[in-house]
Amino acid sequence: MDAEAAKLLGAGLAAIGAGLASIGVGNVFAKFLEGALRNPGAADSQQGRLFIGFAGAELLGLLAFVIAALLIFQ
């Protein structure tokens, strides 16, 4: 396998991480809604944790995208 093929293969694997981040974001919101429907009184206090979880999952997806872009264009 030459270097160009290995670079594109690594970029493809990094792109999988970006796709998996969307599953993580979906899980964050699903668990928040599940908890909010079980205990509506505590939903307001958990909203900050919702946004932190969303930001963390989204950050990992963006990091995987940046790594894929660097592997392709460098």
Side-chain angles (χ1 to χ4, degrees):
M1 177 182 299
D2 62 339
E4 186 67 25
K7 185 168 54 169
L8 292 176
L9 182 64
L13 291 174
I16 292 173
L20 291 177
S22 63
I23 295 173
V25 170
N27 283 338
V28 167
F29 281 103
K31 294 299 177 182
F32 172 74
L33 286 176
E34 181 181 322
L37 290 174
R38 286 178 185 230
N39 189 0
D44 289 337
S45 66
Q46 298 299 317
Q47 194 168 12
R49 290 191 176 108
L50 167 74
F51 291 126
I52 290 172
F54 167 74
E58 195 67 29
L59 174 70
L60 291 175
L62 289 174
L63 182 64
F65 173 74
V66 167
I67 289 173
L70 284 174
L71 285 173
I72 290 174
F73 296 115
Q74 196 176 37

